[in-house]
Every structure is written in structure tokens, then in C-alpha cells.
Amino acid sequence: ARCDNLKTGSHESRSMDTTIQAAAARLVRRLKEGNHTLTLAESCTGGLLASTLTDIAGASSWFKKSYITYANEAKIQELGVESEALESRGAVSAKVAIQMAKGALEKADADFAISVTGIAGPTNEGSSKPVGTVYVGIASRQWANAIRTQIGGTRAENKSGFVYFALLTAMRCWDEAMERVEERQKEALSAIEEARRMEAEREAERERRDQEAREHAPWQDEAWSEDDDAAEIGNEVEWVDGEE
């Protein structure tokens, strides 16, 4: 994904702020509806994402805590990011973004975590990645993902753009996860219904076989009564008086 040319004028800036606030409100609505909690791990945004979300009243009911791990050492010590990942992929990478999110999730004992790691500018400080590159990580107890984009602007504009992208990414991942959950629930219900149908068919087949067995049993063709049986037995018995 790519978001280009964030405007610098005051009108455009206010419009962007309003857009970010609206996105934050939509994300918070999802959290509150599901009674979920959130934690954050920020690097390049320096706490701006946390500030944006906690500007919404009542944040204490769903916001756990935020980690601002700007230096690599902080990412390792606070969030458990692997030094190998930082050395091989760099701090601005999908792997590090995911590890940041998962580390924050575990430490805060939250339901969801968002991480942000990127290059706000004005220089890339020796990185091979261009200014404006950002990775946003999203993690839950069941899944984790990271999505990349690149935007163009000043350092302040990039930080705001990163926050907006993080909010959009979180909602996108959230919606996709909910769709997967609903799909799995539908599959589970279908499997239960199919198992019940098969069991009903097996029960009907057992009943049919039992009925056939009853109808064709040999003793069914031999009618008898207690009186007939007694008479027959009496004819076969001969009483003889014997002598000692």
C-alpha cells in the first residue's frame, strides 16, 4: 500500500486530523462492542498513536498500556524482539513489527496489540529503506500480521500518516479476522449438522434392518397357543403305575 503527498496547508492538516480522529473512533467502537482491550508498541511515532486513541473519553476501560521503544535495545529488553531479527531484517521490517506487537500483547495481557516501526525522516539514517516507509504489526492471541506502506511528507506529516495507516490496518486485520472466525463457526455448525444427519440415517437404517429381521424370523410362521401346547404335551405323556 502507498499513501502519497500529504498536504501541508492548515486546512489540509485539520482535515487530516479529523480523518484520523474518525478512524480512531471506529477502532474504539470495535473494541468496546467486543469488550476487548488494546496495547501499543510504538517506535517512529513516539507515542502519537497512544495519544490519538486516549484522546477518546473512557479509554481506561479498553486501553491497557503503551510501550515507546525507540532504540533497538529497548525493543529487545521491553518487548522481547530478537536481536537476530534486528540485525538481519532491520528495525523497520515485518518480522520486527510482528515481534513488537506480540511482545506488547504478552506483557500487557491484552486482547489486541498494534505496533508501529518506520522511518519518519527527514533522513533514513543509513537504512536501505526510503523515508516514509512504515510497518504496522497487529497481534491477537490467535494470529499476528504486519502490513507495509510508504508515504511522502515531512517528518510530522509522516508520523501522522503512520498513525492513520496503523488505525486503518488494525481495522482491516480486525475485520478479516472476524470474517475468518465467522467462517470457522459456519464450518463447525455445518459439520455438526452433517454428523447429526448421518447419525439419523444410520439410526433409520438400523431400524429398517431390525424391522426386516422381525418380519422374517422363523418363529413368526409358527402360530401357537398355550392351550394347544398343553394338549400336545398331554398326548405324549403316558402315566404308568409301577411296582417295586
Side-chain angles (χ1 to χ4, degrees):
R2 184 179 175 88
C3 307
D4 291 315
N5 299 324
L6 291 177
K7 302 299 183 180
T8 58
S10 59
H11 175 72
E12 289 80 1
S13 178
R14 288 194 299 272
S15 177
M16 185 62 180
D17 288 343
T18 301
T19 301
I20 292 173
Q21 291 166 3
R26 293 199 303 273
L27 176 59
V28 170
R29 191 177 306 118
R30 284 168 166 78
L31 291 168
K32 293 173 70 174
E33 287 174 353
N35 195 30
H36 300 303
T37 56
L38 178 70
T39 187
L40 305 176
E42 299 182 66
S43 181
C44 56
T45 46
L48 185 58
L49 178 57
S51 177
T52 300
L53 286 167
T54 55
D55 279 345
I56 298 173
S60 59
S61 65
W62 49 266
F63 190 88
K64 280 272 191 168
K65 61 174 65 177
S66 179
Y67 301 89
I68 302 176
T69 53
Y70 216 85
N72 286 350
E73 293 80 3
K75 294 179 177 66
I76 295 170
Q77 295 172 6
E78 297 298 324
L79 302 175
V81 173
E82 298 171 356
S83 58
E84 184 276 331
L86 290 164
E87 293 169 1
S88 62
R89 306 291 181 88
V92 183
S93 63
K95 189 169 186 178
V96 169
I98 288 175
Q99 289 186 4
M100 288 174 64
K102 292 174 71 174
L105 186 79
E106 181 178 355
K107 288 196 68 174
D109 191 27
D111 297 313
F112 293 93
I114 304 173
S115 67
V116 187
T117 177
I119 304 172
T123 67
N124 62 1
E125 298 179 354
S127 172
S128 60
K129 302 177 180 71
V131 172
T133 301
V134 67
Y135 285 86
V136 172
I138 309 292
S140 75
R141 299 179 190 276
Q142 291 78 35
W143 51 267
N145 195 14
I147 299 178
R148 172 190 178 277
T149 194
Q150 183 183 336
I151 66 177
T154 66
R155 181 177 177 85
E157 290 166 349
N158 285 343
K159 290 175 68 174
S160 294
F162 293 169
V163 167
Y164 183 50
F165 181 67
L167 295 169
L168 296 182
T169 299
M171 287 186 285
R172 170 183 167 183
C173 291
W174 181 298
D175 292 343
E176 290 176 352
M178 293 303 101
E179 289 175 3
R180 289 194 297 270
V181 169
E182 290 178 1
E183 186 62 29
R184 286 196 294 268
Q185 289 175 341
K186 290 179 181 178
E187 291 175 355
L189 288 174
S190 296
I192 292 172
E193 291 175 358
E194 179 65 14
R196 289 174 175 171
R197 184 188 65 79
M198 294 179 65
E199 179 59 28
E201 290 180 354
R202 287 193 292 267
E203 182 62 29
E205 179 64 16
R206 285 194 294 268
E207 179 61 27
R208 184 186 66 79
R209 291 179 180 177
D210 289 346
Q211 182 63 30
E212 289 181 353
R214 288 192 295 270
E215 291 174 353
H216 296 88
W219 60 267
Q220 291 284 2
D221 298 329
E222 299 177 2
W224 61 275
S225 69
E226 185 177 352
D227 293 339
D228 293 340
D229 194 37
E232 184 177 341
I233 293 175
N235 292 333
E236 292 180 357
V237 176
E238 181 178 357
W239 296 94
V240 178
D241 293 330
E243 298 180 356
E244 292 185 3

mmCIF file with all atom_site columns, all heavy atoms in Angstrom, residues 34-55:
data_model
loop_
_atom_site.group_PDB
_atom_site.id
_atom_site.type_symbol
_atom_site.label_atom_id
_atom_site.label_alt_id
_atom_site.label_comp_id
_atom_site.label_asym_id
_atom_site.label_entity_id
_atom_site.label_seq_id
_atom_site.pdbx_PDB_ins_code
_atom_site.Cartn_x
_atom_site.Cartn_y
_atom_site.Cartn_z
_atom_site.occupancy
_atom_site.B_iso_or_equiv
_atom_site.pdbx_formal_charge
_atom_site.auth_seq_id
_atom_site.auth_comp_id
_atom_site.auth_asym_id
_atom_site.auth_atom_id
_atom_site.pdbx_PDB_model_num
ATOM 1   N N   . GLY A 1 34 ? -16.854 -5.474 21.469 1.00 0.00 ? 34 GLY A N   1
ATOM 2   C CA  . GLY A 1 34 ? -16.417 -6.823 21.805 1.00 0.00 ? 34 GLY A CA  1
ATOM 3   C C   . GLY A 1 34 ? -15.851 -6.952 23.203 1.00 0.00 ? 34 GLY A C   1
ATOM 4   O O   . GLY A 1 34 ? -15.382 -8.023 23.587 1.00 0.00 ? 34 GLY A O   1
ATOM 5   N N   . ASN A 1 35 ? -15.862 -5.841 23.959 1.00 0.00 ? 35 ASN A N   1
ATOM 6   C CA  . ASN A 1 35 ? -15.297 -5.834 25.313 1.00 0.00 ? 35 ASN A CA  1
ATOM 7   C C   . ASN A 1 35 ? -13.840 -6.285 25.302 1.00 0.00 ? 35 ASN A C   1
ATOM 8   O O   . ASN A 1 35 ? -13.407 -7.082 26.131 1.00 0.00 ? 35 ASN A O   1
ATOM 9   C CB  . ASN A 1 35 ? -16.126 -6.717 26.251 1.00 0.00 ? 35 ASN A CB  1
ATOM 10  C CG  . ASN A 1 35 ? -15.812 -6.458 27.709 1.00 0.00 ? 35 ASN A CG  1
ATOM 11  O OD1 . ASN A 1 35 ? -15.438 -5.346 28.095 1.00 0.00 ? 35 ASN A OD1 1
ATOM 12  N ND2 . ASN A 1 35 ? -15.952 -7.484 28.531 1.00 0.00 ? 35 ASN A ND2 1
ATOM 13  N N   . HIS A 1 36 ? -13.066 -5.768 24.320 1.00 0.00 ? 36 HIS A N   1
ATOM 14  C CA  . HIS A 1 36 ? -11.667 -6.128 24.158 1.00 0.00 ? 36 HIS A CA  1
ATOM 15  C C   . HIS A 1 36 ? -10.747 -5.042 24.712 1.00 0.00 ? 36 HIS A C   1
ATOM 16  O O   . HIS A 1 36 ? -11.147 -3.884 24.849 1.00 0.00 ? 36 HIS A O   1
ATOM 17  C CB  . HIS A 1 36 ? -11.341 -6.348 22.678 1.00 0.00 ? 36 HIS A CB  1
ATOM 18  C CG  . HIS A 1 36 ? -12.133 -7.434 22.039 1.00 0.00 ? 36 HIS A CG  1
ATOM 19  N ND1 . HIS A 1 36 ? -12.140 -8.730 22.518 1.00 0.00 ? 36 HIS A ND1 1
ATOM 20  C CD2 . HIS A 1 36 ? -12.947 -7.425 20.953 1.00 0.00 ? 36 HIS A CD2 1
ATOM 21  C CE1 . HIS A 1 36 ? -12.922 -9.469 21.758 1.00 0.00 ? 36 HIS A CE1 1
ATOM 22  N NE2 . HIS A 1 36 ? -13.430 -8.707 20.802 1.00 0.00 ? 36 HIS A NE2 1
ATOM 23  N N   . THR A 1 37 ? -9.512  -5.435 25.001 1.00 0.00 ? 37 THR A N   1
ATOM 24  C CA  . THR A 1 37 ? -8.504  -4.482 25.463 1.00 0.00 ? 37 THR A CA  1
ATOM 25  C C   . THR A 1 37 ? -7.380  -4.368 24.442 1.00 0.00 ? 37 THR A C   1
ATOM 26  O O   . THR A 1 37 ? -7.133  -5.279 23.653 1.00 0.00 ? 37 THR A O   1
ATOM 27  C CB  . THR A 1 37 ? -7.914  -4.916 26.815 1.00 0.00 ? 37 THR A CB  1
ATOM 28  O OG1 . THR A 1 37 ? -7.376  -6.251 26.691 1.00 0.00 ? 37 THR A OG1 1
ATOM 29  C CG2 . THR A 1 37 ? -8.974  -4.890 27.890 1.00 0.00 ? 37 THR A CG2 1
ATOM 30  N N   . LEU A 1 38 ? -6.687  -3.227 24.480 1.00 0.00 ? 38 LEU A N   1
ATOM 31  C CA  . LEU A 1 38 ? -5.663  -2.919 23.482 1.00 0.00 ? 38 LEU A CA  1
ATOM 32  C C   . LEU A 1 38 ? -4.385  -2.454 24.153 1.00 0.00 ? 38 LEU A C   1
ATOM 33  O O   . LEU A 1 38 ? -4.421  -1.768 25.175 1.00 0.00 ? 38 LEU A O   1
ATOM 34  C CB  . LEU A 1 38 ? -6.177  -1.817 22.544 1.00 0.00 ? 38 LEU A CB  1
ATOM 35  C CG  . LEU A 1 38 ? -5.216  -1.325 21.451 1.00 0.00 ? 38 LEU A CG  1
ATOM 36  C CD1 . LEU A 1 38 ? -5.008  -2.396 20.393 1.00 0.00 ? 38 LEU A CD1 1
ATOM 37  C CD2 . LEU A 1 38 ? -5.751  -0.046 20.818 1.00 0.00 ? 38 LEU A CD2 1
ATOM 38  N N   . THR A 1 39 ? -3.253  -2.822 23.555 1.00 0.00 ? 39 THR A N   1
ATOM 39  C CA  . THR A 1 39 ? -1.962  -2.291 23.962 1.00 0.00 ? 39 THR A CA  1
ATOM 40  C C   . THR A 1 39 ? -1.210  -1.862 22.716 1.00 0.00 ? 39 THR A C   1
ATOM 41  O O   . THR A 1 39 ? -1.500  -2.332 21.605 1.00 0.00 ? 39 THR A O   1
ATOM 42  C CB  . THR A 1 39 ? -1.152  -3.336 24.755 1.00 0.00 ? 39 THR A CB  1
ATOM 43  O OG1 . THR A 1 39 ? 0.029   -2.720 25.279 1.00 0.00 ? 39 THR A OG1 1
ATOM 44  C CG2 . THR A 1 39 ? -0.743  -4.501 23.875 1.00 0.00 ? 39 THR A CG2 1
ATOM 45  N N   . LEU A 1 40 ? -0.229  -0.984 22.872 1.00 0.00 ? 40 LEU A N   1
ATOM 46  C CA  . LEU A 1 40 ? 0.507   -0.435 21.733 1.00 0.00 ? 40 LEU A CA  1
ATOM 47  C C   . LEU A 1 40 ? 2.007   -0.567 21.943 1.00 0.00 ? 40 LEU A C   1
ATOM 48  O O   . LEU A 1 40 ? 2.488   -0.529 23.075 1.00 0.00 ? 40 LEU A O   1
ATOM 49  C CB  . LEU A 1 40 ? 0.168   1.043  21.532 1.00 0.00 ? 40 LEU A CB  1
ATOM 50  C CG  . LEU A 1 40 ? -1.302  1.417  21.374 1.00 0.00 ? 40 LEU A CG  1
ATOM 51  C CD1 . LEU A 1 40 ? -1.441  2.940  21.286 1.00 0.00 ? 40 LEU A CD1 1
ATOM 52  C CD2 . LEU A 1 40 ? -1.904  0.761  20.148 1.00 0.00 ? 40 LEU A CD2 1
ATOM 53  N N   . ALA A 1 41 ? 2.728   -0.703 20.833 1.00 0.00 ? 41 ALA A N   1
ATOM 54  C CA  . ALA A 1 41 ? 4.193   -0.669 20.848 1.00 0.00 ? 41 ALA A CA  1
ATOM 55  C C   . ALA A 1 41 ? 4.629   0.254  19.716 1.00 0.00 ? 41 ALA A C   1
ATOM 56  O O   . ALA A 1 41 ? 4.479   -0.085 18.539 1.00 0.00 ? 41 ALA A O   1
ATOM 57  C CB  . ALA A 1 41 ? 4.768   -2.072 20.655 1.00 0.00 ? 41 ALA A CB  1
ATOM 58  N N   . GLU A 1 42 ? 5.127   1.428  20.060 1.00 0.00 ? 42 GLU A N   1
ATOM 59  C CA  . GLU A 1 42 ? 5.474   2.424  19.053 1.00 0.00 ? 42 GLU A CA  1
ATOM 60  C C   . GLU A 1 42 ? 6.974   2.681  19.027 1.00 0.00 ? 42 GLU A C   1
ATOM 61  O O   . GLU A 1 42 ? 7.637   2.684  20.061 1.00 0.00 ? 42 GLU A O   1
ATOM 62  C CB  . GLU A 1 42 ? 4.745   3.730  19.332 1.00 0.00 ? 42 GLU A CB  1
ATOM 63  C CG  . GLU A 1 42 ? 3.227   3.616  19.306 1.00 0.00 ? 42 GLU A CG  1
ATOM 64  C CD  . GLU A 1 42 ? 2.565   4.957  19.543 1.00 0.00 ? 42 GLU A CD  1
ATOM 65  O OE1 . GLU A 1 42 ? 2.705   5.868  18.690 1.00 0.00 ? 42 GLU A OE1 1
ATOM 66  O OE2 . GLU A 1 42 ? 1.906   5.112  20.599 1.00 0.00 ? 42 GLU A OE2 1
ATOM 67  N N   . SER A 1 43 ? 7.462   2.934  17.828 1.00 0.00 ? 43 SER A N   1
ATOM 68  C CA  . SER A 1 43 ? 8.841   3.360  17.661 1.00 0.00 ? 43 SER A CA  1
ATOM 69  C C   . SER A 1 43 ? 8.852   4.740  17.024 1.00 0.00 ? 43 SER A C   1
ATOM 70  O O   . SER A 1 43 ? 8.924   5.758  17.711 1.00 0.00 ? 43 SER A O   1
ATOM 71  C CB  . SER A 1 43 ? 9.619   2.353  16.811 1.00 0.00 ? 43 SER A CB  1
ATOM 72  O OG  . SER A 1 43 ? 10.961  2.768  16.671 1.00 0.00 ? 43 SER A OG  1
ATOM 73  N N   . CYS A 1 44 ? 8.704   4.814  15.711 1.00 0.00 ? 44 CYS A N   1
ATOM 74  C CA  . CYS A 1 44 ? 8.837   6.075  14.995 1.00 0.00 ? 44 CYS A CA  1
ATOM 75  C C   . CYS A 1 44 ? 7.758   7.094  15.329 1.00 0.00 ? 44 CYS A C   1
ATOM 76  O O   . CYS A 1 44 ? 7.975   8.306  15.194 1.00 0.00 ? 44 CYS A O   1
ATOM 77  C CB  . CYS A 1 44 ? 8.851   5.819  13.490 1.00 0.00 ? 44 CYS A CB  1
ATOM 78  S SG  . CYS A 1 44 ? 7.393   4.914  12.921 1.00 0.00 ? 44 CYS A SG  1
ATOM 79  N N   . THR A 1 45 ? 6.590   6.630  15.762 1.00 0.00 ? 45 THR A N   1
ATOM 80  C CA  . THR A 1 45 ? 5.506   7.573  16.089 1.00 0.00 ? 45 THR A CA  1
ATOM 81  C C   . THR A 1 45 ? 5.641   8.137  17.494 1.00 0.00 ? 45 THR A C   1
ATOM 82  O O   . THR A 1 45 ? 4.930   9.074  17.863 1.00 0.00 ? 45 THR A O   1
ATOM 83  C CB  . THR A 1 45 ? 4.137   6.891  15.921 1.00 0.00 ? 45 THR A CB  1
ATOM 84  O OG1 . THR A 1 45 ? 4.172   5.606  16.547 1.00 0.00 ? 45 THR A OG1 1
ATOM 85  C CG2 . THR A 1 45 ? 3.782   6.724  14.461 1.00 0.00 ? 45 THR A CG2 1
ATOM 86  N N   . GLY A 1 46 ? 6.495   7.591  18.315 1.00 0.00 ? 46 GLY A N   1
ATOM 87  C CA  . GLY A 1 46 ? 6.838   8.189  19.605 1.00 0.00 ? 46 GLY A CA  1
ATOM 88  C C   . GLY A 1 46 ? 5.682   8.436  20.547 1.00 0.00 ? 46 GLY A C   1
ATOM 89  O O   . GLY A 1 46 ? 5.705   9.396  21.319 1.00 0.00 ? 46 GLY A O   1
ATOM 90  N N   . GLY A 1 47 ? 4.650   7.626  20.500 1.00 0.00 ? 47 GLY A N   1
ATOM 91  C CA  . GLY A 1 47 ? 3.526   7.795  21.404 1.00 0.00 ? 47 GLY A CA  1
ATOM 92  C C   . GLY A 1 47 ? 2.343   8.527  20.793 1.00 0.00 ? 47 GLY A C   1
ATOM 93  O O   . GLY A 1 47 ? 1.306   8.714  21.447 1.00 0.00 ? 47 GLY A O   1
ATOM 94  N N   . LEU A 1 48 ? 2.458   8.949  19.525 1.00 0.00 ? 48 LEU A N   1
ATOM 95  C CA  . LEU A 1 48 ? 1.382   9.697  18.884 1.00 0.00 ? 48 LEU A CA  1
ATOM 96  C C   . LEU A 1 48 ? 0.128   8.832  18.712 1.00 0.00 ? 48 LEU A C   1
ATOM 97  O O   . LEU A 1 48 ? -0.997  9.325  18.854 1.00 0.00 ? 48 LEU A O   1
ATOM 98  C CB  . LEU A 1 48 ? 1.848   10.236 17.528 1.00 0.00 ? 48 LEU A CB  1
ATOM 99  C CG  . LEU A 1 48 ? 0.872   11.145 16.775 1.00 0.00 ? 48 LEU A CG  1
ATOM 100 C CD1 . LEU A 1 48 ? 0.508   12.366 17.617 1.00 0.00 ? 48 LEU A CD1 1
ATOM 101 C CD2 . LEU A 1 48 ? 1.474   11.566 15.427 1.00 0.00 ? 48 LEU A CD2 1
ATOM 102 N N   . LEU A 1 49 ? 0.307   7.569  18.422 1.00 0.00 ? 49 LEU A N   1
ATOM 103 C CA  . LEU A 1 49 ? -0.845  6.670  18.281 1.00 0.00 ? 49 LEU A CA  1
ATOM 104 C C   . LEU A 1 49 ? -1.570  6.526  19.618 1.00 0.00 ? 49 LEU A C   1
ATOM 105 O O   . LEU A 1 49 ? -2.803  6.580  19.677 1.00 0.00 ? 49 LEU A O   1
ATOM 106 C CB  . LEU A 1 49 ? -0.391  5.307  17.771 1.00 0.00 ? 49 LEU A CB  1
ATOM 107 C CG  . LEU A 1 49 ? -1.481  4.242  17.619 1.00 0.00 ? 49 LEU A CG  1
ATOM 108 C CD1 . LEU A 1 49 ? -2.595  4.702  16.693 1.00 0.00 ? 49 LEU A CD1 1
ATOM 109 C CD2 . LEU A 1 49 ? -0.862  2.926  17.100 1.00 0.00 ? 49 LEU A CD2 1
ATOM 110 N N   . ALA A 1 50 ? -0.801  6.361  20.697 1.00 0.00 ? 50 ALA A N   1
ATOM 111 C CA  . ALA A 1 50 ? -1.406  6.257  22.026 1.00 0.00 ? 50 ALA A CA  1
ATOM 112 C C   . ALA A 1 50 ? -2.152  7.537  22.379 1.00 0.00 ? 50 ALA A C   1
ATOM 113 O O   . ALA A 1 50 ? -3.257  7.506  22.935 1.00 0.00 ? 50 ALA A O   1
ATOM 114 C CB  . ALA A 1 50 ? -0.341  5.960  23.074 1.00 0.00 ? 50 ALA A CB  1
ATOM 115 N N   . SER A 1 51 ? -1.563  8.685  22.065 1.00 0.00 ? 51 SER A N   1
ATOM 116 C CA  . SER A 1 51 ? -2.203  9.956  22.354 1.00 0.00 ? 51 SER A CA  1
ATOM 117 C C   . SER A 1 51 ? -3.505  10.097 21.576 1.00 0.00 ? 51 SER A C   1
ATOM 118 O O   . SER A 1 51 ? -4.521  10.553 22.115 1.00 0.00 ? 51 SER A O   1
ATOM 119 C CB  . SER A 1 51 ? -1.260  11.106 22.004 1.00 0.00 ? 51 SER A CB  1
ATOM 120 O OG  . SER A 1 51 ? -1.883  12.355 22.223 1.00 0.00 ? 51 SER A OG  1
ATOM 121 N N   . THR A 1 52 ? -3.489  9.687  20.311 1.00 0.00 ? 52 THR A N   1
ATOM 122 C CA  . THR A 1 52 ? -4.687  9.784  19.476 1.00 0.00 ? 52 THR A CA  1
ATOM 123 C C   . THR A 1 52 ? -5.822  8.943  20.031 1.00 0.00 ? 52 THR A C   1
ATOM 124 O O   . THR A 1 52 ? -6.968  9.388  20.100 1.00 0.00 ? 52 THR A O   1
ATOM 125 C CB  . THR A 1 52 ? -4.369  9.333  18.037 1.00 0.00 ? 52 THR A CB  1
ATOM 126 O OG1 . THR A 1 52 ? -3.353  10.182 17.495 1.00 0.00 ? 52 THR A OG1 1
ATOM 127 C CG2 . THR A 1 52 ? -5.598  9.381  17.157 1.00 0.00 ? 52 THR A CG2 1
ATOM 128 N N   . LEU A 1 53 ? -5.503  7.736  20.450 1.00 0.00 ? 53 LEU A N   1
ATOM 129 C CA  . LEU A 1 53 ? -6.543  6.841  20.953 1.00 0.00 ? 53 LEU A CA  1
ATOM 130 C C   . LEU A 1 53 ? -7.040  7.257  22.331 1.00 0.00 ? 53 LEU A C   1
ATOM 131 O O   . LEU A 1 53 ? -8.237  7.186  22.621 1.00 0.00 ? 53 LEU A O   1
ATOM 132 C CB  . LEU A 1 53 ? -6.016  5.407  20.982 1.00 0.00 ? 53 LEU A CB  1
ATOM 133 C CG  . LEU A 1 53 ? -5.903  4.736  19.607 1.00 0.00 ? 53 LEU A CG  1
ATOM 134 C CD1 . LEU A 1 53 ? -5.088  3.455  19.681 1.00 0.00 ? 53 LEU A CD1 1
ATOM 135 C CD2 . LEU A 1 53 ? -7.289  4.442  19.037 1.00 0.00 ? 53 LEU A CD2 1
ATOM 136 N N   . THR A 1 54 ? -6.130  7.691  23.179 1.00 0.00 ? 54 THR A N   1
ATOM 137 C CA  . THR A 1 54 ? -6.554  8.068  24.539 1.00 0.00 ? 54 THR A CA  1
ATOM 138 C C   . THR A 1 54 ? -7.184  9.454  24.590 1.00 0.00 ? 54 THR A C   1
ATOM 139 O O   . THR A 1 54 ? -7.650  9.878  25.656 1.00 0.00 ? 54 THR A O   1
ATOM 140 C CB  . THR A 1 54 ? -5.366  7.988  25.517 1.00 0.00 ? 54 THR A CB  1
ATOM 141 O OG1 . THR A 1 54 ? -4.284  8.789  25.033 1.00 0.00 ? 54 THR A OG1 1
ATOM 142 C CG2 . THR A 1 54 ? -4.905  6.553  25.685 1.00 0.00 ? 54 THR A CG2 1
ATOM 143 N N   . ASP A 1 55 ? -7.215  10.166 23.477 1.00 0.00 ? 55 ASP A N   1
ATOM 144 C CA  . ASP A 1 55 ? -7.998  11.398 23.416 1.00 0.00 ? 55 ASP A CA  1
ATOM 145 C C   . ASP A 1 55 ? -9.493  11.095 23.494 1.00 0.00 ? 55 ASP A C   1
ATOM 146 O O   . ASP A 1 55 ? -10.297 11.983 23.788 1.00 0.00 ? 55 ASP A O   1
ATOM 147 C CB  . ASP A 1 55 ? -7.711  12.158 22.106 1.00 0.00 ? 55 ASP A CB  1
ATOM 148 C CG  . ASP A 1 55 ? -6.431  12.969 22.187 1.00 0.00 ? 55 ASP A CG  1
ATOM 149 O OD1 . ASP A 1 55 ? -5.930  13.177 23.314 1.00 0.00 ? 55 ASP A OD1 1
ATOM 150 O OD2 . ASP A 1 55 ? -5.926  13.393 21.125 1.00 0.00 ? 55 ASP A OD2 1
#
